[in-house]
């Protein structure tokens, strides 16, 4: 198959530059974390990641552990029991492929269970902090979607990163839990946003109109929001966000206003994506497609197998209903799921 040829060359080159060693330091969780005793069996289900260290050419000291340090690369990921295996694999992949893994600071967003102990057990020196996102923040704003997983409150936590993270954190990379990074995350971090609030790979060939209902497009007071813009679809699972500009422009509230309209007028069918499109589409700093090879989980219903998009790959994203860990455990994996396996730390898998 074409994907095998493409990836054999890609991964040979990628593995040659893996730095086998980050030293990471944990930080106290946010005071609002509710549960302090995670299931010990859950913790023991994951293996420990090897230690990854900075390469000699990394400019800053690994001992610089202040969350406000300008030398850090900030990455935000949600943690919950359902997607935990994916989140752990995503973190593992980032560390393995970072030239300066000790300079990566992880911001984990949780809603119900304190998973800090599990993170520390798997990545014993990780630089990270845990933030509690209250489900009631958005529960009254969420409308039904084509897939129940898209209705979970934690899926909307990305809307509130500017409020959750420290004020000194002016930029963050937001990543979904169903992906792996096979390139140095610092390259994505350095993306120039210009005066834009967010950066993401755009897909202007996609049928943009399908993301909203006919009623939305027939109402000028609604569809007029795109007047003067050239909106393109982008996937919100991989974004570089300028939090300073976000806070200044009150973009959390702008997203909430569209969610309120959706509750009363039903202008879209998907979960947290359409409000982002309504606010940002046509005003997104473009990022190369290699940073979101999305759709590997198939569609939102069947989760069928898919091949890669043409071109180089820095990040593989199993967006859609099919997740690699579920397909592997059911003994019905798709071919590309084998690329996720090396980053899986689940002890009882395969």
């Amino acid at each position: 198959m074409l994907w095998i040829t493409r990836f054999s060359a890609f991964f040979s080159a990628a593995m040659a530059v893996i730095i086998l060693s980050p030293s990471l330091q944990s930080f106290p969780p946010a005071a609002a974390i509710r549960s302090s005793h995670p299931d010990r069996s859950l913790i023991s289900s994951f293996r420990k990641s090897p230690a990854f260290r900075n390469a000699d050419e990394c400019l800053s000291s690994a001992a610089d552990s202040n969350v406000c340090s300008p030398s850090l690369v900030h990455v935000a990921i949600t943690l919950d029991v359902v997607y935990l295996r994916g989140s752990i694999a995503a973190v593992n992949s980032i560390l393995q492929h970072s030239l300066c893994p000790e300079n990566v600071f992880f911001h984990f967003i949780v809603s119900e269970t304190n998973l800090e102990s599990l993170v520390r057990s798997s990545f014993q020196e990780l630089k990270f902090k845990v933030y509690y996102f209250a489900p009631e923040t958005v529960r009254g704003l969420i409308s039904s979607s084509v897939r129940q997983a898209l209705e979970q409150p934690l899926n909307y936590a990305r809307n509130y990163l500017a409020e959750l993270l420290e004020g000194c954190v002016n930029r963050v990379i937001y990543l979904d839990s169903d992906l792996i990074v096979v390139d140095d995350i610092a390259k994505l971090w350095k993306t120039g946003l210009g005066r834009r609030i967010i950066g993401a790979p755009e897909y202007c060939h996609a049928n943009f109109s399908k993301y909203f209902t006919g009623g939305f497009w027939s109402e000028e007071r609604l569809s007029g929001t795109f007047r003067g813009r050239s909106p393109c679809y982008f996937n919100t699972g991989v974004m570089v966000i300028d939090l300073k500009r976000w806070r200044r422009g009150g973009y959390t509230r702008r997203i909430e206003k569209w969610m309120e309209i959706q509750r009363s007028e039903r202008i879209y069918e998907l979960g947290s994506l359409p409000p982002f499109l309504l606010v940002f589409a046509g005003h997104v700093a473009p990022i190369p497609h290699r940073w979101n090879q999305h759709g590997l989980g198939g569609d939102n219903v069947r989760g069928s197998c898919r091949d890669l998009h043409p071109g180089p790959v820095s990040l593989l994203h199993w967006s859609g209903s099919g997740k690699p860990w579920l397909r592997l455990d059911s003994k019905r994996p798709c071919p590309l799921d084998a690329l996720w396996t090396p980053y899986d730390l689940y002890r009882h898998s395969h």
Side-chain angles (χ1 to χ4, degrees):
M1 294 174 65
L2 178 60
W3 70 267
I4 295 177
T5 304
R6 189 186 307 160
F7 255 88
S8 61
F10 167 73
F11 268 90
S12 295
M15 293 302 289
V17 297
I18 290 176
I19 311 299
L20 292 176
S21 26
S23 164
L24 308 137
Q25 180 176 351
S26 65
F27 281 68
I33 294 296
R34 301 297 173 84
S35 172
S36 59
H37 300 288
D39 188 343
R40 289 183 180 276
S41 64
L42 183 63
I43 294 176
S44 63
S45 296
F46 289 85
R47 302 188 305 274
K48 290 178 172 58
S49 171
F52 299 92
R53 308 282 181 194
N54 279 358
D56 291 340
E57 54 264 50
C58 297
L59 298 178
S60 63
S61 169
D64 189 356
S65 57
N66 186 340
V67 67
C68 297
S69 171
S71 66
L72 295 174
V73 171
H74 295 276
V75 178
I77 300 178
T78 58
L79 285 183
D80 70 338
V81 173
V82 175
Y83 282 85
L84 182 61
R85 193 165 158 191
S87 299
I88 295 297
V91 172
N92 194 27
S93 71
I94 291 169
L95 298 176
Q96 286 198 36
H97 292 279
S98 293
L99 186 66
C100 306
E102 296 174 281
N103 293 359
V104 183
F105 193 106
F106 290 90
H107 303 263
F108 295 119
I109 317 300
V110 305
S111 278
E112 295 180 8
T113 306
N114 178 11
L115 299 171
E116 181 199 3
S117 298
L118 187 148
V119 173
R120 183 181 290 115
S121 176
S122 297
F123 307 100
Q124 295 188 353
E125 300 176 21
L126 193 69
K127 285 187 174 74
F128 75 94
K129 187 170 180 179
V130 180
Y131 306 76
Y132 179 73
F133 177 69
E136 54 268 25
T137 303
V138 291
R139 192 162 276 143
L141 295 171
I142 296 174
S143 56
S144 59
S145 181
V146 295
R147 183 157 56 93
Q148 189 174 7
L150 300 178
E151 300 171 22
Q152 299 307 308
L154 197 59
N155 202 41
Y156 293 81
R158 74 194 82 189
N159 303 3
Y160 297 89
L161 293 175
E163 289 77 26
L164 290 168
L165 274 54
E166 288 79 357
C168 64
V169 179
N170 292 324
R171 170 182 282 224
V172 69
I173 297 171
Y174 174 81
L175 298 177
D176 273 352
S177 299
D178 52 357
L179 55 77
I180 56 173
V181 178
V182 292
D183 202 346
D184 190 345
I185 195 74
K187 297 177 183 177
L188 180 58
W189 175 254
K190 295 173 182 175
T191 298
L193 299 183
R195 300 182 63 84
R196 303 301 192 192
I197 311 300
I198 68 170
E202 293 183 292
Y203 303 90
C204 295
H205 62 278
N207 180 7
F208 189 80
S209 63
K210 73 177 184 179
Y211 294 100
F212 302 96
T213 64
F216 169 85
W217 292 113
S218 65
E219 288 277 355
E220 172 63 22
R221 64 185 176 84
L222 299 173
S223 59
T225 191
F226 292 120
R227 192 184 305 112
R229 296 156 64 179
S230 298
C232 294
Y233 162 75
F234 63 94
N235 181 282
T236 53
V238 179
M239 296 185 291
V240 180
I241 306 174
D242 185 328
L243 295 176
K244 188 174 182 179
R245 289 183 181 275
W246 180 297
R247 296 178 183 116
R248 188 184 304 152
Y251 283 90
T252 296
R253 184 59 192 144
R254 297 190 194 192
I255 290 174
E256 287 180 333
K257 286 180 178 178
W258 281 111
M259 294 176 68
E260 291 167 357
I261 292 173
Q262 161 72 356
R263 290 280 290 180
S264 61
E265 303 193 42
R266 196 67 183 176
I267 59 176
Y268 54 79
E269 300 298 334
L270 289 174
S272 60
L273 168 65
F276 263 84
L277 296 179
L278 286 161
V279 173
F280 293 111
H283 298 308
V284 175
I287 290 176
H289 290 172
R290 67 185 303 152
W291 284 105
N292 196 354
Q293 282 270 348
H294 69 292
L296 303 185
D299 60 24
N300 280 309
V301 179
R302 294 184 299 273
S304 53
C305 297
R306 290 186 177 174
D307 201 353
L308 290 168
H309 306 292
V313 179
S314 293
L315 184 151
L316 295 97
H317 187 186
W318 279 261
S319 56
S321 61
K323 303 306 174 189
W325 56 92
L326 297 178
R327 297 194 295 214
L328 287 162
D329 286 352
S330 68
K331 309 300 181 185
R332 292 179 295 178
C334 293
L336 289 178
D337 294 345
L339 300 174
W340 181 87
T341 305
Y343 306 98
D344 184 16
L345 293 180
Y346 190 61
R347 191 182 296 277
H348 305 298
S349 60
H350 321 314

